[in-house]
Amino acid sequence: MRIKGVDHKPDEDFAEFYEQARAGCLRAVYAAVGDWSLAEDVTAEAFARAYASWRTVCRHPAPRAWVVRTALNTHVSWWRRRRWEVVWDASHDAEDRAPESAEIDRNMMQALRALPARQREVVALRIFLDLDIATTARALGVTPGTVKTHLSRALAALRAALAPVHDGS
């Protein structure tokens, strides 16, 4: 975020990063977790952590990936803490509560929800954030081959799930 020859303050750098990255990170997290309000919560938490560690995060090779990975880790931690406390009501999954600005088709969200978690994460980072394979692998802590395998399987499953929807049009 630093521009050569211009002295920026860390708060200004973070504000610029936040403005540029927020929407994309939120869509990527939403695609991975499938719940708009939860995606907003964990993304906000991830940006708060990024702000608190901005000196380190701004030097990360892919700060947006850092935010998304932190949001996904926060989601897992949240789920682990609450899995025994909350009785899940499947009716919460029935209606997608994302605003129109989420720009993700309902059929696509249903297909994404059907994918295993790791495949959703790979799709979120590779497709929604447009990260390369190596950066996605580093963000997820896996090998590039694992990213390719999960992406290939996810895309095949998405094609199969969405083909009937588009064939009838």
Side-chain angles (χ1 to χ4, degrees), residues 115-124 149-151 153-155 157:
L115 296 175
R118 183 61 80 182
Q119 288 180 14
R120 284 194 312 270
E121 292 170 355
V122 168
V123 168
T149 299
H150 283 301
L151 184 61
R153 290 177 182 167
L155 293 177

Side-chain angles (χ1 to χ4, degrees), residues 4 24 29 33-35 62 64 66 70 89 92 110 127 159:
K4 290 184 180 181
V29 172
V33 303
D35 178 297
R64 292 181 311 153
W66 187 96
T70 300
D89 180 359
H92 289 106
Q110 279 185 304
I127 307 299
R159 277 188 209 101

Side-chain angles (χ1 to χ4, degrees), residues 3 19 34 38 47 75 81 83 98 114 116 121 125 127 131 155 158-159:
I3 300 171
E19 287 300 316
L38 180 58
F47 272 109
H75 173 250
R81 281 192 307 272
R83 70 180 164 183
E121 292 170 355
L125 292 171
I127 307 299
L131 299 179
L155 293 177
L158 291 173
R159 277 188 209 101

Side-chain angles (χ1 to χ4, degrees), residues 124-147:
L125 292 171
R126 284 284 293 132
I127 307 299
F128 287 87
L129 283 187
D130 196 29
L131 299 179
D132 61 34
I133 289 173
T135 305
T136 301
R138 280 193 305 273
L140 295 176
V142 298
T143 66
T146 301
V147 170

Side-chain angles (χ1 to χ4, degrees), residues 20-85:
Q20 291 174 356
R22 183 185 179 281
C25 290
L26 181 56
R27 277 193 303 274
V29 172
Y30 172 53
V33 303
D35 178 297
W36 184 257
S37 61
L38 180 58
E40 286 181 316
D41 290 347
V42 297
T43 302
E45 175 66 24
F47 272 109
R49 290 180 186 184
Y51 178 72
S53 303
W54 185 240
R55 289 179 191 245
T56 303
V57 174
C58 72
R59 290 188 295 266
H60 190 278
R64 292 181 311 153
W66 187 96
V67 168
V68 171
R69 181 74 248 163
T70 300
L72 296 176
N73 288 345
T74 301
H75 173 250
V76 169
S77 296
W78 174 87
W79 179 82
R80 283 182 180 151
R81 281 192 307 272
R82 288 168 181 79
R83 70 180 164 183
W84 303 113
E85 299 172 13

Side-chain angles (χ1 to χ4, degrees), residues 162-169:
L162 296 173
V165 173
H166 297 298
D167 288 345
S169 302

